[in-house]
Amino acid sequence: MRKRTFVIAIVSSLLLGSLCHAAEGWKRHTIDDTSRGADGVRTADVNGDGLIDLVTGWEEGGVVRVYLHPGPKKSKERWPAVTVGKVRSPEDAVFVDLDGDGATDVVSSCEGRERSLFVHWAPKDKSKYLDAAAWKTEPLPASLGKAMWMFCVPVQMDGKRGVDLVAGSKGTGAGVGWFESPENPRDLAAWKWRAMYAGGWIMSLFEIDIDADGDPDVVITDRKGKNSGCRWLENPGPKSVGSPNPWKEHLVGGKGQEVMFARPVDLDRNGLLDFVTAVRGDDFLYFRRQPGKTPSWKTSSIKMPTNTGTGKGVHVNDFDLDGRLDLVFTCENAQKKSGVMWLSRRADQPVTSPDWLPHEISGRKEGIKFDRIELLDLDADGDLDVITCEERDNLGVIWYENPTK
């Protein structure tokens, strides 16, 4: 009897230790925490070294910064950075070679009172990329005062001239549209605004050819107003793409719900594109693409674990390398709660099951308002790490080290 009790005690101790370790989460590394209100990162290899670099807008700090990946061995240290521009209330920043000169520029989207898109022109001399004085910031006149800009995606929309910009906004006059590039992209006064959709608060923007007709459609999540939900906007074709509001709206799912960031993914691996989205204060929604020529989706839910904040960002990939896709998410309102976690499925569990298994990433000791997620193997150890930003505890631009390998 004593032997059995002793074995039970050992097993219990091991389980408790495992649970405590899980509750502590993954190790956090800081890329930058020297400004205020880091608001999500976007990615690209801007210097051609094969490593993915980052850009973000610091909303309260009023700066837009680029971070160059220092290599796997130094990835856990502070990254080399440059402030490419100073603007008020930058909500988003994205990499794009807007003028086609070979240097990767940045476009920032500003809300608040700024209500403008800004182009931050990169120096042509790559050796000066980290020299703040070599960058030039200019507003995009067609965007001035039109709305509180939330997000921007570079897209070749009309097949003419340079790359165009699809943008979404919130508040009065909010919606989605695109800025048409002129013959000379450097002539910012010549860019033209083309409206596509009137909405309430645009959270996600994706360029995806949903109907497989060869032109780019746009997928959005709109969290506020009468059209809240996940939708796709059908490209009317090259002859009508520049006409006012010619884009037909199609509901994917989540009508009437406060959908946050979404992620396109073939979750059931049947060759059809699905979507997963976070919902503020509710469970995740899984929109499963149905077979057939006409695009349609069937909605199911994935439960939000207890003791978390409210859902904000979401991403999907295989984190534990078991061959099944997992879900990682971030939260707002995470005071003394989990702000970053991931969910897994058992081998016998279908993707439409609501009960996925929760695993800790951030822990509950720090972090209140986390943002968008990117997944990269930053330390080159064979598993995917989680990159995000945190605004309220001012953790800044951070990444969590995947302990799988």
Side-chain angles (χ1 to χ4, degrees):
M1 188 69 178
R2 287 182 179 178
K3 184 176 181 180
R4 181 181 177 187
T5 303
F6 179 70
V7 171
I8 291 174
I10 292 177
V11 172
S12 298
S13 177
L14 289 173
L15 287 173
L16 180 60
S18 177
L19 289 172
C20 289
H21 178 73
E24 292 172 359
W26 297 3
K27 188 174 182 179
R28 175 175 63 83
H29 303 285
T30 300
I31 292 173
D32 184 16
D33 61 359
T34 60
S35 189
R36 294 178 294 112
D39 223 349
V41 299
R42 310 285 288 277
T43 63
D45 178 7
V46 302
N47 53 5
D49 64 356
L51 301 171
I52 298 298
D53 309 302
L54 312 175
V55 63
T56 192
W58 293 78
E59 186 176 359
E60 283 75 32
V63 295
V64 179
R65 285 185 181 152
V66 168
Y67 304 93
L68 298 186
H69 195 309
K73 292 183 179 180
K74 294 184 177 181
S75 61
K76 300 174 186 180
E77 304 172 6
R78 305 292 176 119
W79 288 24
V82 57
T83 297
V84 303
K86 296 181 179 181
V87 294
R88 293 180 299 176
S89 305
E91 178 68 23
D92 175 63
V94 63
F95 288 121
V96 55
D97 181 3
L98 203 61
D99 56 358
D101 67 350
T104 303
D105 312 303
V106 172
V107 174
S108 61
S109 303
C110 299
E111 54 164 332
R113 295 181 179 180
E114 192 70 85
R115 299 167 63 90
S116 179
L117 265 64
F118 287 86
V119 179
H120 310 279
W121 299 108
K124 292 183 179 180
D125 184 350
K126 290 187 177 182
S127 68
K128 295 183 178 180
Y129 203 82
L130 290 179
D131 179 4
W135 288 76
K136 181 180 181 181
T137 296
E138 294 181 307
L140 186 63
S143 71
L144 289 171
K146 190 174 291 293
M148 290 189 284
W149 298 104
M150 296 294 293
F151 211 70
C152 179
V153 178
V155 179
Q156 177 45 263
M157 187 62 72
D158 54 5
K160 299 183 292 185
R161 300 181 291 275
V163 65
D164 308 301
L165 299 172
V166 177
S169 56
K170 73 175 186 180
T172 303
V176 179
W178 61 287
F179 295 94
E180 180 183 351
S181 175
E183 290 288 346
N184 177 15
R186 282 269 182 175
D187 181 8
L188 294 183
W191 285 70
K192 296 180 180 178
W193 170 250
R194 308 295 189 188
M196 297 164 57
Y197 165 86
W201 187 334
I202 306 303
M203 291 294 292
S204 299
L205 278 176
F206 300 100
E207 174 213 350
I208 303 171
D209 185 4
I210 293 292
D211 51 6
D213 63 354
D215 53 31
D217 306 306
V218 174
V219 179
I220 67 169
T221 51
D222 190 348
R223 65 181 284 190
K224 293 287 188 180
K226 63 180 181 179
N227 288 331
S228 62
C230 181
R231 300 173 182 275
W232 71 280
L233 311 178
E234 183 179 354
N235 193 320
K239 293 183 179 180
S240 303
V241 70
S243 303
N245 296 311
W247 294 63
K248 188 176 180 180
E249 304 167 21
H250 305 272
L251 180 69
V252 174
K255 183 177 181 180
Q257 294 181 266
E258 192 170 354
V259 292
M260 305 296 280
F261 288 117
R263 186 64 52 174
V265 60
D266 182 5
L267 191 61
D268 56 4
R269 291 178 165 170
N270 68 347
L272 301 175
L273 188 65
D274 312 314
F275 295 92
V276 176
T277 185
V279 179
R280 191 175 189 272
D282 211 332
D283 296 332
F284 302 97
L285 296 179
Y286 169 36
F287 308 125
R288 190 180 192 185
R289 178 77 179 261
Q290 301 299 292
K293 292 184 178 181
T294 302
S296 66
W297 290 261
K298 186 176 181 179
T299 302
S300 59
S301 296
I302 300 172
K303 289 182 180 179
M304 168 68 82
T306 58
N307 294 315
T308 65
T310 58
K312 181 72 176 290
V314 64
H315 213 308
V316 177
N317 216 304
D318 182 3
F319 301 110
D320 53 4
L321 305 179
D322 66 354
R324 294 185 296 277
L325 292 176
D326 309 302
L327 187 151
V328 64
F329 66 90
T330 58
C331 296
E332 299 177 323
N333 305 303
Q335 297 93 332
K336 298 181 180 179
K337 297 180 179 180
S338 296
V340 188
M341 296 188 75
W342 68 283
L343 307 176
S344 64
R345 290 182 297 114
R346 300 184 308 271
D348 61 347
Q349 190 176 9
V351 292
T352 53
S353 170
D355 299 304
W356 290 38
L357 304 174
H359 310 272
E360 190 61 78
I361 292 180
S362 67
R364 301 176 187 175
K365 293 181 180 180
E366 60 182 15
I368 296 172
K369 185 180 181 183
F370 295 89
D371 210 88
R372 289 183 69 255
I373 303 165
E374 295 292 344
L375 303 177
L376 295 169
D377 183 5
L378 294 181
D379 50 5
D381 66 350
D383 54 29
L384 290 170
D385 307 302
V386 176
I387 309 165
T388 188
C389 296
E390 197 282 328
E391 299 181 63
R392 292 294 175 261
D393 271 350
N394 209 44
L395 301 182
V397 184
I398 55 179
W399 66 280
Y400 291 96
E401 182 180 351
N402 191 331
T404 299
K405 280 194 172 184

